[in-house]
Amino acid sequence: VIRCRAAVAWAPGKPLSVEEVEVAPPKPGEVRIKLVATGICRTDEHLLQGCFPNAEFPVIPGHEGAGIVESVGEGVTSVKPGDKVIPLCIPQCGECSFCRNPESNFCQKSHMSEPQNLLPDKTSRFSCKGKQIHHFLWISTFAEYTVVPEYTVAKIDAAAPLDKVCLFGCGFSTGYGAAINTAKVKPGSTCAVFGLGGIGLSVVMGCKSAGASRIIAVDINKDKFAKAKQLGATDCINPQDFKKPIQEVLTEMTGQGVDYSFEAIGCQDTMIAALASCNMSTGICVMIGELDSGSEISIDPTLLLIGRTWKGTVLGGSWKMRECIPKLVSSYLEKKFNSDLLITHTLPFAKVNEGFELLRAGK
Ligand code: NAD
Ligand code: ZN
């Protein structure tokens, strides 16, 4: 058992509390990882506010981390102590029908198939003050050590800077992959990206690298525009600057609406606006943002009748995580894109609540 620090969410709506926790050794088929860095994603905020489906408290959040294998359980062969790794929120067992389908990055072994926050054997490896603490998405990266199933770990290049590539565990891969894999953005096309957080900015990067000729970035926080332009946005617009609905503005700007639209906010209204902003016959709208658990959305079905496509994506579309994350890290090391530009602040672990304040303040 390792004693180390972790940020525990004891109850919804409360700040995280950095505590000493016990982390049990890995059981057969599991890997214990010493985490070196983690990003903060809006999904962690949904969890903290009690809006994430099927979440149980107390829980250790975090799902965008990178670290080094500390020890492995019996039977683990794909990683060994000392390997640099990124824990994955979507596993890749390699055997289920989803894993065998090249079009899917989902896995039937995923925690999303079962409403609970424990490891696959239905127990936790974390405890604090005599209480069992839940895992989040099986990976709980707001801890100095975490235990995960082997099939949810990607081994990456030993040269990778962990404080930079941790973003590949969620934000960068999700946004970049939504453009490349889910929408399959074509060269010369027009795109609109709603929301310029870590996810939306990564979508902008994906659209740019796919060769889009026009990338319209949409956000109510104009402080995000300079970074969006630096990453490839050609136009930046704030819906609050217009009297008309933003879908009408985008349709006027592009003639018939954009070829691809992306919602990276997580609001009903912007999901509908993103859908209505793309070409009524051939447009593809990708929903990335997450609504609070139990939310519903209602649309005028004629939005889809003429042929628009409305899709969702989780962690980069068809990217099979164990295979693709190492390749993305290699492309990063070869300087094919610069995801470092997404990093706005770097804080010591003890200031994790300050990190959430920065996220809430749109910084
Ligand atoms: P973020 O909070 O950093 O960014 C959201 C951005 O949206 C902010 O810049 C904000 O100013 C902007 N915004 C808010 N309301 C707006 C409005 N009405 N119109 C225009 N812009 C508005 O969030 P993030 O970490 O980038 O995450 C974005 C969403 O993606 C969240 O809902 C998150 O849960 C979800 N997410 C989904 C996946 C997936 O796999 N599908 C993975 C990670 C995150
Ligand atoms: Zn995330």
Side-chain angles (χ1 to χ4, degrees), residues 41 43 63-64 170:
C41 166
T43 303
H63 63 279
E64 193 177 84
C170 179

Side-chain angles (χ1 to χ4, degrees), residues 199-220:
I199 306 282
L201 290 171
S202 303
V203 175
V204 170
M205 291 174 77
C207 294
K208 163 126 177 139
S209 88
S213 58
R214 194 163 183 201
I215 304 169
I216 307 171
V218 181
D219 203 298
I220 49 173

Side-chain angles (χ1 to χ4, degrees), residues 93-170:
C93 74
E95 290 157 8
C96 72
S97 63
F98 288 107
C99 282
R100 280 186 278 116
N101 180 344
E103 295 294 314
S104 167
N105 73 337
F106 197 62
C107 169
Q108 270 164 312
K109 288 219 170 147
S110 169
H111 47 80
M112 290 195 199
S113 331
E114 295 169 46
Q116 39 91 346
N117 298 133
L118 298 168
L119 289 188
D121 74 345
K122 311 240 185 293
T123 62
S124 167
R125 303 292 162 274
F126 295 121
S127 59
C128 178
K129 299 174 183 159
K131 272 203 152 167
Q132 169 185 279
I133 311 292
H134 291 94
H135 294 247
F136 179 51
L137 304 178
W138 283 354
I139 60 179
S140 293
T141 61
F142 293 174
E144 289 174 314
Y145 288 85
T146 194
V147 177
V148 305
E150 178 184 15
Y151 48 75
T152 201
V153 177
K155 179 179 166 179
I156 57 167
D157 196 308
L162 297 176
D163 59 335
K164 304 288 193 292
V165 301
C166 61
L167 301 183
F168 294 40
C170 179

Side-chain angles (χ1 to χ4, degrees), residues 331-343:
S331 301
Y332 164 85
L333 291 171
E334 289 159 15
K335 300 200 176 352
K336 295 204 173 136
F337 49 77
N338 186 4
S339 49
D340 295 357
L341 293 169
L342 298 169
I343 300 172

Side-chain angles (χ1 to χ4, degrees), residues 279-296:
N279 183 297
M280 65 169 78
S281 166
T282 55
I284 295 177
C285 174
V286 181
M287 185 179 82
I288 315 171
E290 286 163 34
L291 294 175
D292 291 351
S293 86
S295 313
E296 292 189 355

Side-chain angles (χ1 to χ4, degrees), residues 8-266:
V8 179
W10 289 101
K14 298 263 160 58
L16 287 161
S17 146
V18 178
E19 308 270 7
E20 189 177 86
V21 299
E22 294 89 39
V23 186
K27 290 190 182 177
E30 296 178 350
V31 178
R32 185 159 61 181
I33 302 168
K34 177 181 168 51
L35 287 155
V36 173
T38 182
I40 296 179
C41 166
R42 173 68 58 179
T43 303
D44 298 308
E45 171 71 351
H46 289 312
L47 173 69
L48 291 187
Q49 300 311 327
C51 304
F52 194 83
N54 304 316
E56 288 173 75
F57 289 78
V59 59
I60 299 177
H63 63 279
E64 193 177 84
I68 297 165
V69 174
E70 176 272 336
S71 60
V72 298
E74 205 184 300
V76 170
T77 53
S78 60
V79 290
K80 56 178 188 317
D83 284 348
K84 283 190 181 174
V85 290
I86 291 182
L88 309 171
C89 355
I90 298 280
Q92 186 187 345
C93 74
E95 290 157 8
C96 72
S97 63
F98 288 107
C99 282
R100 280 186 278 116
N101 180 344
E103 295 294 314
S104 167
N105 73 337
F106 197 62
C107 169
Q108 270 164 312
K109 288 219 170 147
S110 169
H111 47 80
M112 290 195 199
S113 331
E114 295 169 46
Q116 39 91 346
N117 298 133
L118 298 168
L119 289 188
D121 74 345
K122 311 240 185 293
T123 62
S124 167
R125 303 292 162 274
F126 295 121
S127 59
C128 178
K129 299 174 183 159
K131 272 203 152 167
Q132 169 185 279
I133 311 292
H134 291 94
H135 294 247
F136 179 51
L137 304 178
W138 283 354
I139 60 179
S140 293
T141 61
F142 293 174
E144 289 174 314
Y145 288 85
T146 194
V147 177
V148 305
E150 178 184 15
Y151 48 75
T152 201
V153 177
K155 179 179 166 179
I156 57 167
D157 196 308
L162 297 176
D163 59 335
K164 304 288 193 292
V165 301
C166 61
L167 301 183
F168 294 40
C170 179
F172 177 73
S173 311
T174 299
Y176 198 77
I180 307 272
N181 300 321
T182 312
K184 299 192 169 50
V185 169
K186 292 194 186 116
S189 59
T190 54
C191 303
V193 183
F194 286 69
L196 301 172
I199 306 282
L201 290 171
S202 303
V203 175
V204 170
M205 291 174 77
C207 294
K208 163 126 177 139
S209 88
S213 58
R214 194 163 183 201
I215 304 169
I216 307 171
V218 181
D219 203 298
I220 49 173
N221 178 353
K222 62 177 175 17
D223 296 345
K224 304 273 180 155
F225 292 168
K227 186 62 69 74
K229 287 221 159 127
Q230 192 183 3
L231 293 171
T234 52
D235 312 65
C236 293
I237 56 175
N238 179 348
Q240 293 167 339
D241 290 343
F242 300 90
K243 289 219 171 70
K244 297 178 196 167
I246 195 68
Q247 50 269 45
E248 286 179 26
V249 175
L250 285 161
T251 305
E252 275 171 21
M253 282 172 80
T254 54
Q256 296 298 331
V258 294
D259 298 310
Y260 307 95
S261 58
F262 300 86
E263 204 275 1
I265 301 165

